[in-house]
Amino acid sequence: MTSFPAQARRVRDSTLAPQRRLSALRECTQHCAPYGFRATWHHLVVSACIPRKPVDDPDALVRAVDELQRVRDVVLPRAHEYARLRRREKLDGQRGKRSSPPWYSLGWSDIAYCPDPEHHPTAPLDTVVRAVLDRQAAGVNSDTHCLACGKERPRPGRACPTCGVHPAGLGARWYGGG
Ligand SMILES: [Zn+2]
């Protein structure tokens, strides 16, 4: 599997056929899908106005990859900070006390997993991801409150009726210890 930056370059490369650039955008979304692939893809199609035929508006693909890039800009510094913390803990002889944060193992896909691909937050992806990570860091309990929109959760274990984010996403599992 090729990396996000390599695929993102292809999306932005106007010398490539629009269909190839669209495939590269799909690959990027596989690397970075905060809502899970299907809901993230649906969000991008709506937010960047991707036409049915990419040749009709290739710039839409660039708008979409820019939005994904902003998610990486939110998560990467935190991932690096976490890696630094882990190294220090190892030096201090503390091992295995901390579970992995959501971005650690799967390229931070599913941070705000939405089981219904057409029911997901409408705000920009990076805004939602930042909100989830901030609420996690503040110790908000994902059983009682939605980490994405902050609303009280009437039924634990179900997708948020307001924004569609499910508490079983990787983001919520981090503090759940699973
Ligand atoms: Zn919500």
Side-chain angles (χ1 to χ4, degrees):
M1 200 153 70
T2 52
S3 68
F4 182 97
Q7 293 296 341
R9 271 197 299 279
R10 278 182 202 142
V11 176
R12 295 190 173 102
D13 186 346
S14 58
T15 66
L16 295 177
Q19 200 59 42
R20 263 199 81 191
R21 296 168 69 188
L22 180 72
S23 314
L25 179 64
R26 287 187 82 92
E27 288 255 350
C28 285
T29 310
Q30 261 146 17
H31 284 282
C32 180
Y35 304 158
F37 179 82
R38 290 174 67 212
T40 303
W41 187 257
H42 181 265
H43 169 84
L44 290 174
V45 168
V46 174
S47 73
C49 300
I50 300 176
R52 210 169 282 270
K53 293 185 198 155
V55 69
D56 291 341
D57 182 11
D59 287 346
L61 307 176
V62 177
R63 289 195 292 276
V65 83
D66 284 348
E67 186 170 359
L68 291 179
Q69 180 61 50
R70 284 192 289 273
V71 173
R72 286 171 62 87
D73 292 344
V74 168
V75 178
L76 278 173
R78 297 181 194 229
H80 291 152
E81 178 60 33
Y82 175 80
R84 259 198 305 277
L85 196 69
R86 259 324 257 252
R87 275 197 299 276
R88 279 195 48 180
E89 283 178 351
K90 278 188 181 165
L91 284 176
D92 295 344
Q94 303 172 20
R95 281 170 195 274
K97 286 191 180 170
R98 196 183 285 271
S99 62
S100 294
W103 53 76
Y104 206 58
S105 56
L106 291 173
W108 59 75
S109 283
D110 294 350
I111 279 180
Y113 174 60
C114 299
D116 177 348
E118 296 192 11
H119 188 199
H120 48 73
T122 52
L125 282 171
D126 62 312
T127 304
V128 176
V129 166
R130 190 180 285 113
V132 168
L133 298 182
D134 284 349
R135 287 197 177 92
Q136 277 180 341
V140 171
N141 182 351
S142 65
D143 284 336
T144 59
H145 289 81
C146 175
L147 294 182
C149 71
K151 295 247 163 68
E152 206 168 326
R153 202 179 266 298
R155 289 184 292 186
R158 297 281 188 90
C160 173
T162 305
C163 73
V165 171
H166 196 281
L170 289 176
R173 282 210 293 274
W174 180 24
Y175 274 95

